[in-house]
């Protein structure tokens, strides 16, 4: 999600200095942000569920017992003593933000045309009310969010969740605030991008219209819990997608009737990341987000499902996903309505 804010991710901030220089020279952060925002479909990967799923100011479901800084702070900001702030800005600090706060903050840094696109096509909330869930089944904006719609009422349907586990995965971030710059968007225009200087006017050309934000790559502590590498707090997952996204609905959410009215059978099969030595792609036993597609475990499961032998796929949990998912407040004031 932070790619929409600063054009960054774990892969960009952990590059070697030489590679980082080349990237910024020919395809810098602001250019990457414009590219990501130009792909309307990429918004389907926006984090869903808000603080219910991803944690609040005090804790997150996937925090370990010995964690020193909660993943609930999705974006954390380190104050800088020598920071120079224009006097017109009375409150420059964004503070530590949960996913809900970060969602609003990131959207506030995008043109209104992008915000309208998000509002008219997507939804990232969390719904417990069964009547509303049924109504959401007819709202196309909800269809990409399994937390706001129900599975088909099809008792004979079986779902197999297969994903890798065992790689350090970006989970939350430390951010830094840079200089104030003049923004290059016309926030209230149907054409948010400035195509020529004559189309972009400002009542005061030197007024700071926006502030640069970026992952604080100076923050590294391999002894911290969770580990902190180049401003990225790492958690569990398949190297790209967090474990909560991969398995929480499979092991806990879809066990409830409000999201699974037909009692669809859910089988979760985790693949351990056990890469082969000297193999560039990890080999047949890789659990990496992409490399798993060429791995033996996944293809065996696909073969069984495709040939009508899906019942032979066994449940296999090697992570703490059940524990993490059980910490999520799925029911609120409602009683659990387990279907299996």
């Amino acid at each position: 999600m932070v790619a929409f804010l600063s054009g960054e991710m774990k892969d960009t901030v952990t590059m070697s200095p030489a590679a980082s220089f080349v990237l910024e020279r020919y395809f810098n952060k602001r250019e990457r942000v414009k590219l990501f925002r130009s792909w309307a479909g990429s918004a389907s990967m926006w984090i869903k569920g808000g603080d219910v799923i991803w944690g609040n100011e005090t804790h997150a479901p996937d925090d370990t017992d010995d964690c020193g800084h909660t993943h609930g702070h999705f974006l954390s900001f380190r104050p800088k003593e020598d920071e120079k702030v224009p006097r017109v800005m009375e409150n420059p600090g964004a503070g530590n933000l949960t996913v809900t706060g970060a969602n609003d903050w990131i959207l506030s840094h995008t043109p209104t045309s992008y915000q309208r696109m998000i509002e008219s096509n997507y939804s990232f909330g969390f719904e417990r009310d069964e009547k509303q869930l049924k109504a959401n089944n007819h709202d196309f904006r909800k269809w990409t969010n399994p937390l706001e719609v129900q599975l088909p009422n099809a008792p004979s349907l079986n779902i197999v969740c297969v994903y890798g586990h065992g790689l350090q995965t970006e989970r939350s971030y430390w951010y830094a605030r840079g200089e104030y710059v003049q923004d290059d968007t016309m926030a209230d225009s149907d054409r948010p991008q400035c195509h020529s200087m004559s189309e972009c006017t400002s009542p005061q050309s030197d007024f700071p219209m926006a502030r640069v934000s970026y992952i604080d790559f100076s923050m590294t502590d391999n002894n911290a819990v969770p580990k902190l590498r180049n401003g990225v707090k790492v958690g569990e997952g398949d190297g790209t997608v967090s474990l909560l996204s991969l398995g929480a609905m499979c092991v806990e959410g879809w066990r409830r009737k409000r999201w699974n009215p037909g009692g669809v059978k859910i089988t979760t099969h985790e693949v351990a990341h056990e890469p082969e030595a000297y193999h560039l792609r990890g080999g047949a036993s890789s659990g990496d987000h992409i490399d798993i597609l060429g791995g033996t475990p996944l293809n065996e499961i696909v073969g069984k499902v495709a040939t009508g032998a899906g019942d032979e796929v066994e449940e296999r949990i090697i992570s703490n996903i059940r524990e993490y998912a059980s910490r999520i407040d799925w029911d609120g004031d409602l009683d659990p309505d387990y279907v299996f």
Side-chain angles (χ1 to χ4, degrees):
M1 192 164 77
V2 295
F4 298 99
L5 173 63
S6 61
E8 298 173 289
M9 58 194 74
K10 179 171 68 75
D11 294 339
T12 62
V13 297
T14 56
M15 285 181 170
S16 67
S20 180
F21 172 80
V22 172
L23 178 64
E24 293 303 316
R25 175 67 176 81
Y26 295 102
F27 193 30
N28 63 41
K29 296 181 182 68
R30 301 191 76 179
E31 292 170 335
R32 298 198 297 269
V33 166
K34 295 173 190 175
L35 177 65
F36 293 139
R37 293 175 184 171
S38 70
W39 297 335
S42 63
S44 63
M45 296 186 291
W46 202 280
I47 291 179
K48 302 170 178 65
D51 296 355
V52 175
I53 300 296
W54 299 99
N56 53 34
E57 294 85 353
T58 61
H59 64 278
D62 53 342
D63 283 344
T64 57
D65 294 337
D66 56 345
C67 79
H69 192 253
T70 177
H71 281 308
H73 287 160
F74 184 70
L75 298 182
S76 301
F77 290 81
R78 180 176 58 168
K80 300 182 183 299
E81 296 181 356
D82 59 346
E83 184 176 39
K84 294 181 179 180
V85 181
R87 62 181 179 82
V88 295
M89 304 294 182
E90 297 180 356
N91 184 24
N96 295 332
L97 301 175
T98 63
V99 162
T100 298
N103 177 76
D104 296 338
W105 192 66
I106 292 174
L107 281 177
S108 72
H109 285 68
T110 64
T112 53
S113 60
Y114 187 82
Q115 297 175 26
R116 287 195 296 269
M117 185 280 294
I118 290 283
E119 175 61 27
S120 59
N121 291 280
Y122 295 101
S123 180
F124 311 117
F126 183 93
E127 184 58 63
R128 297 186 181 95
D129 184 79
E130 192 167 350
K131 290 184 179 179
Q132 186 59 50
L133 284 168
K134 290 181 179 178
N136 288 349
N137 292 336
H138 303 286
D139 186 348
F140 69 89
R141 297 176 304 161
K142 313 288 186 178
W143 292 350
T144 58
N145 184 0
L147 297 164
E148 293 188 283
V149 293
Q150 297 175 321
L151 289 177
N153 191 355
S156 61
L157 175 67
N158 293 332
I159 292 179
V160 181
C161 301
V162 187
Y163 55 86
H165 176 266
L167 290 96
Q168 294 184 349
T169 306
E170 54 191 301
R171 173 63 172 82
S172 49
Y173 308 85
W174 279 92
Y175 255 73
R177 301 179 298 277
E179 71 277 9
Y180 288 86
V181 296
Q182 189 166 5
D183 200 358
D184 59 355
T185 62
M186 299 168 61
D188 296 321
S189 170
D190 291 332
R191 296 180 298 166
Q193 192 60 46
C194 293
H195 297 288
S196 68
M197 291 303 296
S198 62
E199 297 178 5
C200 301
T201 59
S202 172
Q204 185 175 348
S205 61
D206 60 347
F207 187 80
M209 301 296 289
R211 192 173 190 186
V212 175
S213 298
Y214 55 90
I215 294 177
D216 192 351
F217 56 85
S218 65
M219 297 283 289
T220 296
D221 187 350
N222 288 320
N223 295 320
V225 181
K227 289 185 177 180
L228 178 61
R229 294 186 175 177
N230 300 93
V232 177
K233 289 188 290 182
V234 297
E236 299 177 55
D238 66 0
T240 300
V241 180
S242 171
L243 181 60
L244 284 179
S245 286
L246 294 168
M249 285 300 290
C250 301
V251 303
E252 194 68 35
W254 282 328
R255 292 182 61 207
R256 288 161 169 78
K257 185 177 181 180
R258 68 179 69 99
W259 286 291
N260 185 1
V264 172
K265 179 184 176 182
I266 311 293
T267 302
T268 303
H269 188 99
E270 295 184 336
V271 177
H273 179 60
E274 299 172 344
E276 297 177 7
Y278 309 112
H279 198 295
L280 294 178
R281 301 298 296 272
S285 56
S286 174
D288 177 79
H289 182 70
I290 297 297
D291 297 337
I292 193 176
L293 298 174
T296 301
L298 175 62
N299 284 284
E300 286 182 348
I301 290 174
V302 171
K304 290 179 179 179
V305 173
T307 57
D311 291 338
E312 296 180 9
V313 179
E314 298 179 353
E315 184 95 359
R316 184 171 186 257
I317 303 294
I318 58 175
S319 71
N320 293 322
I321 184 59
R322 285 199 177 101
E323 178 185 352
Y324 297 158
S326 68
R327 297 174 183 172
I328 296 173
D329 186 15
W330 298 98
D331 305 303
D333 296 331
L334 304 174
D335 294 327
D337 53 346
Y338 294 114
V339 292
F340 63 87

